[in-house]
Amino acid sequence: MPTSPAILMFIGEEYEDLEVWYPKLRLIEAGYQVVCAGLEANVVYKGKHGYPCRSDAAIRDQKSSDYVGVICPGGWMPDKIRREAKVKQLLQEFHADGKLVAAICHGGWMPISAGIYRNVRTTGSLGIKDDIENAGALFLDQEVVVDRHFVSSRKPDDLPAFLLGCLEVLGKSTRGELLG
């Protein structure tokens, strides 16, 4: 179990390199521990552009109660791990508890598969716009959309706004303004 406020980040083969590394490093700078969880622990996964990231833990062993939020990066990885029952369960728990659920680009596939985007204002890659709308969400073509505890962005160029949105939600949730 993490000792400081921690964020769970899903990781897997062919993740979008910048959408893992920029949030990970920015959140560490902000004082959070970032736990990268993949299908297996201690595995080096390569991003779409070849950058490696070692998983700190296995998704199956994670508990949402250990974290203040979750990051769903994009790439081709989300289409693979969104099929895992534990990924969907964790996302449903984060949502039920009003904790940060952040997705960028194709990372939105994970909350879609978890069934938690209904009646949420969100964005993502234009490539998943139909999926977002079919999930019952309102798609907005903006660099960042913050709707309660949900934060979403479209692409790597949106990462600065994405992280500002994440930090805004995390700041409110740690003061109890979003919970309850």
Side-chain angles (χ1 to χ4, degrees):
M1 178 172 162
T3 57
S4 60
I7 306 290
L8 179 64
M9 182 181 295
F10 295 121
I11 191 72
E13 206 63 36
E14 296 189 88
Y15 66 87
E16 176 55 52
D17 305 57
L18 285 173
E19 294 170 3
V20 165
W21 285 99
Y22 185 98
K24 180 177 179 171
L25 296 173
R26 182 65 191 95
L27 288 165
I28 290 169
E29 285 176 343
Y32 293 90
Q33 179 182 356
V34 178
V35 175
C36 292
L39 294 178
E40 299 298 329
N42 202 32
V43 170
V44 175
Y45 293 101
K46 288 197 178 170
K48 285 174 47 180
H49 306 287
Y51 205 83
C53 182
R54 182 176 301 278
S55 58
D56 302 306
I59 293 167
R60 70 179 164 274
D61 299 329
Q62 301 314 296
K63 296 185 294 188
S64 63
S65 59
D66 291 341
Y67 300 96
V68 296
V70 61
I71 305 284
C72 302
W76 304 123
M77 174 265 305
D79 190 37
K80 296 169 185 149
I81 70 166
R82 70 179 174 152
R83 304 169 197 180
E84 297 293 319
K86 184 66 175 192
V87 169
K88 293 183 268 194
Q89 174 196 334
L90 287 165
L91 287 166
Q92 291 163 356
E93 291 172 0
F94 279 108
H95 170 55
D97 292 339
K99 294 179 180 180
L100 172 70
V101 175
I104 185 166
C105 200
H106 286 76
W109 271 335
M110 290 182 266
I112 288 169
S113 290
I116 61 172
Y117 263 4
R118 179 159 306 285
N119 299 318
V120 175
R121 292 177 305 118
T122 188
T123 193
S125 165
L126 289 176
I128 66 168
K129 178 181 184 238
D130 291 345
D131 301 310
I132 289 171
E133 292 176 339
N134 289 335
L138 174 63
F139 180 87
L140 301 169
D141 188 10
Q142 298 173 195
E143 68 178 352
V144 66
V145 176
V146 178
D147 184 350
R148 297 163 285 154
H149 56 279
F150 292 98
V151 177
S152 56
S153 286
R154 304 168 298 187
K155 57 189 175 185
D157 287 349
D158 297 337
L159 280 163
F162 178 67
L163 265 292
L164 287 175
C166 290
L167 291 168
E168 174 188 327
V169 169
L170 288 166
K172 287 179 182 176
S173 66
T174 57
R175 292 190 307 269
E177 295 171 19
L178 292 179
L179 305 176

